[in-house]
Amino acid sequence: MGPRDFDPVALAQAERDGWVGYYRRDWRGVLAAAVRMVRLGFGMSWPRTLRGAWFVLRANQLWAPYPENDPVAARDYMRRFYALVARDGEMSLDPAKAARLEVEWWRVHRLHQRDGQLVEGDLCQALVELYSYVYRVDPVDVTPAAEHRVRAMRHSDEWVLAGCDLDDPLLADELAELVASYSSLLKAVQR
C-alpha cells in the first residue's frame, strides 16, 4: 500500500471518522483516524506514520478554533507532514508548497461553510490544485475526485448543522461520496 495503490474504501472510512472527530472535538478520534489515513494513504513505516499522524492532528487542532485559528502554525505542521511524505521517496514534492495547498483548501472550505463567501467550485478548484501537485497528475484527471470530495463536505456540513448526531444518515452519504472520491483519485494516480 502506498500513495498510488491505496484502498479507497478504507481510506474513505478513515477520513470520514477524522471529520466526525474534528467536528465533535474528539481529538483522540482524529488522531486514530489520522494514523489510519497516513498508513493507508501513504504506506509509510509505523514510526513515520505515527509521527505524521501527530503532525496532522496538531495542524487540525490549530486550524479548528473559529474565528481565531492559527493558519501559520497549521501550515508548519502540514509542512512537517509533507516532509515525511517526501522523505519516503515515492512522491517528489516541495513540503512547503504541499502544505500551503493543503491548508488553502481548509481556508476555502471554511469561507464556504461559515460565511458563504465562496462556492463549491472554488473548493473543488483548491482540491484539484492540491491533488494535481502532490500526485503530479493532470488537473483534469483529478477533477472527479475533487467533485466527489466536495459533495462529501456538503453532507458533512449539513451533518454539523443538524447537530453532529452519530446516527444521522448524512454520515452514510458522506462516506459514499468519499469512497467515490478516493476511487476516482486512485484511478487518476494509476494512469
Side-chain angles (χ1 to χ4, degrees), residues 108 112 118-128 150:
V108 171
H112 171 67
L118 300 173
V119 296
E120 286 184 349
D122 298 312
L123 185 51
C124 185
Q125 184 59 40
L127 289 167
V128 166
V150 168

Side-chain angles (χ1 to χ4, degrees), residues 17-179:
D17 294 348
W19 289 2
V20 166
Y22 176 88
Y23 286 111
R24 293 173 62 95
R25 298 302 189 256
D26 170 13
W27 298 117
R28 275 189 196 179
V30 173
L31 180 59
V35 167
R36 291 175 20 231
M37 285 186 288
V38 171
R39 183 72 174 172
L40 293 165
F42 295 98
M44 288 191 244
S45 68
W46 276 110
R48 283 193 186 184
T49 291
L50 296 175
R51 190 168 183 206
W54 179 256
F55 293 154
V56 170
L57 169 70
R58 289 298 298 137
N60 277 274
Q61 288 175 319
L62 291 161
W63 181 260
Y66 179 81
E68 301 297 324
N69 63 354
D70 191 345
V72 172
R75 268 191 305 275
D76 184 57
Y77 273 103
M78 289 310 298
R79 181 195 53 76
R80 293 178 194 184
F81 168 73
Y82 279 113
L84 289 176
V85 170
R87 216 172 292 143
D88 254 18
E90 282 193 51
M91 303 182 88
S92 175
L93 54 82
D94 171 23
K97 181 173 182 177
R100 183 181 54 74
L101 291 169
E102 181 81 35
V103 176
E104 176 61 9
W105 84 254
W106 298 359
R107 185 190 72 79
V108 171
H109 176 249
R110 181 163 282 176
L111 288 173
H112 171 67
Q113 176 191 40
R114 300 276 187 158
D115 303 327
Q117 292 180 20
L118 300 173
V119 296
E120 286 184 349
D122 298 312
L123 185 51
C124 185
Q125 184 59 40
L127 289 167
V128 166
E129 289 174 18
L130 172 68
Y131 290 160
S132 64
Y133 176 72
V134 169
Y135 292 98
R136 300 286 195 217
V137 294
D138 190 296
V140 171
D141 293 338
V142 293
T143 298
E147 291 169 343
H148 283 291
R149 197 165 184 198
V150 168
R151 285 194 285 274
M153 284 182 230
R154 184 188 316 144
H155 294 307
S156 177
D157 294 345
E158 291 169 2
W159 175 77
V160 170
L161 286 173
C164 299
D165 182 355
L166 294 176
D167 294 324
D168 191 320
L170 284 166
L171 290 178
D173 297 337
E174 177 184 324
L175 178 60
E177 288 295 342
L178 285 170
V179 169

